[in-house]
Amino acid sequence: MSIRPVLETRRAQPAIEGAGVHLHRAFGFHDPSELDPFLLFDDFRNDDPARYTQGFPWHPHRGIETITYVLAGEVDHGDSLGNSGRLGAGDVQWMTAGSGILHQEMPRGNLQGQMHGFQLWANLPAALKMTAPRYQDVKAPDIPEITDDDGTRVRVIVGSFWGRRGPVDGIAADPQYLDISVPPGVSKTFKIDTYRRSFAYVFEGAGAFAYASRPTGVLLEKEIAGQEVNIRDMSGNRTLIRFGTGDEVTVQAGPDGIRFLLISGAPIEEPVAWHGPIVMNTQDELRQAMADLRNGTFIRPAQ
């Protein structure tokens, strides 16, 4: 067994998208090979409705899949194919844009005005860039949640973990998407397929991720200096942890525990031509997508 080393930790950066949604971006629009097959990850968390209620009005997507996971508040959505719905706290939507879709996403806060959710973009391989669009909307009660003997809780959104399988399926990147909570002071190791790219995103509490050639349970901050997310600095912020290769991830929870997303997927390793919400393989394909938008042929009829 080999514990994945931490290659990098970085804070998500403030950004404004849509019609004025204030969010934090952990990665995106830089090097698409860094976390291939994943392209972008946004954390849209806010307690001020003025900073998110204008939402993400009608916009196109082609060549990717978008994964929306809501923790607080709601997101109303609709698209050019006539689909509409509402995501509530704990719900997940996996949208395969494929050949092209126009849609909108409009966040609404809870009774306290709080809105919190994540959106992840996953690339599609060339063979599926022009596949028919589809949605998978999953309600919170349908997502398996497992509690281990030490109090660790895992929601299995996509993929298989600890004998349970998430309800979202048929995704090109064959990903694993877990929402993990580890109690204060607990050290825990999680299996990840060796051949997947992986990252963690911490959004509550604090902890240290590390590699070590010693048993789980004896990781101390001073022993893993240079390979940890600093416990003193991480509490309350938004931190991305990018891992190297290996088949395990180890975390030591801080005094208030830690909650993070652990996401991995099989790399596609194909050329990427990217402009905003459209991701193709070549510049010619990208130009064709732009032309389709201009001349009204972006949305393909159902086959």
Side-chain angles (χ1 to χ4, degrees):
M1 302 297 178
S2 59
I3 296 178
R4 286 180 179 245
V6 173
L7 298 180
E8 177 189 17
T9 67
R10 62 175 180 249
R11 306 284 178 83
Q13 297 300 305
I16 299 176
E17 290 291 350
V21 177
H22 292 248
L23 49 82
H24 282 73
R25 177 159 294 153
F27 63 88
F29 297 109
H30 292 296
D31 179 3
S33 67
E34 181 180 73
L35 283 165
D36 177 20
F38 305 114
L39 299 165
L40 175 146
F41 182 88
D42 285 342
D43 179 346
F44 50 97
R45 181 191 328 183
N46 216 298
D47 296 338
D48 181 359
R51 290 174 168 258
Y52 61 77
T53 52
Q54 296 303 307
F56 305 92
W58 293 99
H59 59 281
H61 283 293
R62 177 179 284 181
I64 64 171
E65 301 183 280
T66 67
I67 305 94
T68 305
Y69 179 27
V70 177
L71 293 184
E74 298 175 330
V75 177
D76 291 331
H77 66 89
D79 69 34
S80 52
L81 301 178
N83 298 304
S84 64
R86 175 173 297 168
L87 300 176
D91 295 349
V92 174
Q93 180 191 84
W94 200 295
M95 183 194 75
T96 303
S99 61
I101 201 165
L102 298 173
H103 79 155
Q104 64 173 353
E105 299 156 302
M106 308 302 288
R108 305 193 313 167
N110 59 19
L111 293 177
Q112 292 74 43
Q114 298 165 329
M115 181 70 225
H116 190 191
F118 308 107
Q119 188 166 93
L120 174 68
W121 291 10
N123 200 8
L124 281 169
L128 296 175
K129 287 288 189 190
M130 300 300 286
T131 193
R134 74 167 181 146
Y135 279 95
Q136 295 182 69
D137 281 1
V138 179
K139 295 301 181 183
D142 297 324
I143 297 174
E145 183 169 315
I146 314 159
T147 302
D148 205 4
D149 292 342
D150 59 11
T152 298
R153 297 194 318 275
V154 180
R155 296 191 83 211
V156 186
I157 296 168
V158 185
S160 296
F161 190 75
W162 286 353
R164 303 292 297 276
R165 184 162 188 85
V168 180
D169 62 9
I171 306 304
D174 189 25
Q176 187 180 61
Y177 191 131
L178 308 174
D179 177 353
I180 298 175
S181 299
V182 181
V186 171
S187 184
K188 200 73 175 173
T189 297
F190 303 94
K191 296 283 188 182
I192 295 183
D193 187 288
T194 306
Y195 300 102
R196 295 167 180 260
R197 298 266 171 80
S198 67
F199 68 92
Y201 182 76
V202 179
F203 60 95
E204 286 182 15
F209 292 82
Y211 69 89
S213 57
R214 63 197 74 190
T216 298
V218 297
L219 291 173
L220 302 175
E221 187 175 353
K222 64 182 181 181
E223 294 177 323
I224 52 176
Q227 296 295 339
E228 83 272 5
V229 177
N230 192 297
I231 292 175
R232 291 185 300 275
D233 295 341
M234 191 168 63
S235 181
N237 66 32
R238 306 159 172 88
T239 306
L240 174 79
I241 302 96
R242 189 164 62 90
F243 298 108
T245 57
D247 55 16
E248 296 179 337
V249 165
T250 292
V251 62
Q252 172 79 53
D256 298 318
I258 185 172
R259 186 176 179 187
F260 61 97
L261 304 179
L262 183 59
I263 299 173
S264 62
I268 295 173
E269 298 181 334
E270 293 180 351
V272 172
W274 187 354
H275 181 76
I278 299 173
V279 183
M280 305 304 289
N281 292 103
T282 69
Q283 290 298 317
D284 283 346
E285 291 170 341
L286 203 55
R287 282 190 286 270
Q288 183 61 56
M290 297 298 108
D292 290 345
L293 272 173
R294 289 192 299 270
N295 63 28
T297 59
F298 187 79
I299 305 302
R300 304 296 176 94
Q303 300 297 316

